[in-house]
Amino acid sequence: MRVSVLAGDGIGPEVIEPALAELPQGTEVVRIDAGAERFLATGELITDADLDAIKGSDALLFGAIGDPRVPDGVLERGVLLRLRKELDLYINLRPFPELGLTFVRENSEGPYAGVGERTADLATETSINTRKGIERCIRFAFDFAAKRGERLHLVHKTNVMTYAGGLWREVFDEVAAEFEDVETGYEHVDAAAYHLVTDRDRFQVIVTDNLFGDILSDLAAGIAGGLGKAASANLHPDASTRPSRCLGLFEPVHGSAPDIAGTGTADPTAAIRATQMMLEELEKESAKA
């Protein structure tokens, strides 16, 4: 097994090192030196050589990205979002076993697609939603829920975001017809946020878009005990369409937390869970072969 490791910024290196102890003996570890320090020194984010190394690995273990010395969005878009795009990691899987809840978040489109513009007095952020992008995410969610015998809820905002929400609901209903044994439901995102706090047992698997999934999964992390324990997998689960050897990027959900970097108080639980998720997904992949 070959695993690329990008520890990143802040507490990233501190939580990744203990997580590496989870790797089986004999695993080849490829270190990727990308993050704030290199950017500040050289202006480089992710290089072609970095991408080639990651694409030649079975998976990527990712620590954290972000530094107060670098303007917001530079590292996030130039490193993490670029990796998701280059590797076509269209599924973000965020399990919360403490809550009996899993988020399946579309990971390549929506408001995070990077389409928009800014003038002195006007800013626009365009949400991109394609039938192909939505359908492959929803199919994964249905298959995931069916294998576990769990309910699947679509969460969106169809009463206001009528174009994007309408397409999501249309595709969801079409795919649902092929999975008659999966119990389904729909909730607007604001109602879902309320019910996650007041009636969390209502949900088992939630499928949603990039922005809503980002926000709701952090809310769930707060309920489950904090971001320091939450892990996620960014996947291209279909080997027949995967653009490289790399199955996905596995990461703790928390940020780089520069305020506690170097204090010895960073919790490595989420990074350890991310590593365990990586090994589980690679084992599943091996079983399919």
Side-chain angles (χ1 to χ4, degrees), residues 162-247:
T162 55
Y163 301 113
L167 183 57
W168 271 85
R169 187 65 182 267
E170 181 181 311
V171 174
F172 185 85
D173 290 344
E174 289 172 359
V175 177
E178 303 174 29
F179 289 84
E180 295 180 354
D181 292 337
V182 176
E183 182 183 349
T184 62
Y186 170 81
E187 288 212 12
H188 294 323
V189 64
D190 45 347
Y194 173 79
H195 287 131
L196 277 171
V197 175
T198 63
D199 184 21
R200 74 186 81 161
D201 291 340
R202 148 186 322 239
F203 303 114
Q204 291 181 307
V205 183
I206 289 176
V207 62
T208 188
D209 84 344
N210 216 331
L211 176 62
F212 296 148
D214 194 3
I215 296 169
L216 290 180
S217 60
D218 274 17
L219 172 62
I223 297 169
L227 286 171
K229 295 179 172 56
S232 73
N234 301 261
L235 303 171
H236 190 113
D238 186 351
S240 66
T241 60
R242 192 177 302 142
S244 73
R245 173 178 171 178
C246 187
L247 167 63

Side-chain angles (χ1 to χ4, degrees), residues 105-215:
R105 166 187 164 193
E106 201 289 317
N107 210 31
S108 63
E109 298 186 341
Y112 290 7
V115 179
E117 60 181 352
R118 167 71 193 275
T119 67
D121 301 313
L122 177 67
T124 62
E125 208 82 46
T126 302
S127 178
I128 303 296
N129 300 266
T130 66
R131 179 174 289 274
K132 175 185 175 182
I134 295 169
E135 183 173 348
R136 65 182 184 174
C137 176
I138 284 176
R139 283 193 177 279
F140 177 90
F142 267 101
D143 187 60
F144 182 88
K147 287 176 179 176
R148 296 161 66 97
E150 294 182 337
R151 292 186 306 278
L152 175 62
H153 277 80
L154 170 65
V155 170
H156 211 282
K157 189 66 176 168
T158 58
N159 60 338
V160 176
M161 301 175 68
T162 55
Y163 301 113
L167 183 57
W168 271 85
R169 187 65 182 267
E170 181 181 311
V171 174
F172 185 85
D173 290 344
E174 289 172 359
V175 177
E178 303 174 29
F179 289 84
E180 295 180 354
D181 292 337
V182 176
E183 182 183 349
T184 62
Y186 170 81
E187 288 212 12
H188 294 323
V189 64
D190 45 347
Y194 173 79
H195 287 131
L196 277 171
V197 175
T198 63
D199 184 21
R200 74 186 81 161
D201 291 340
R202 148 186 322 239
F203 303 114
Q204 291 181 307
V205 183
I206 289 176
V207 62
T208 188
D209 84 344
N210 216 331
L211 176 62
F212 296 148
D214 194 3
I215 296 169

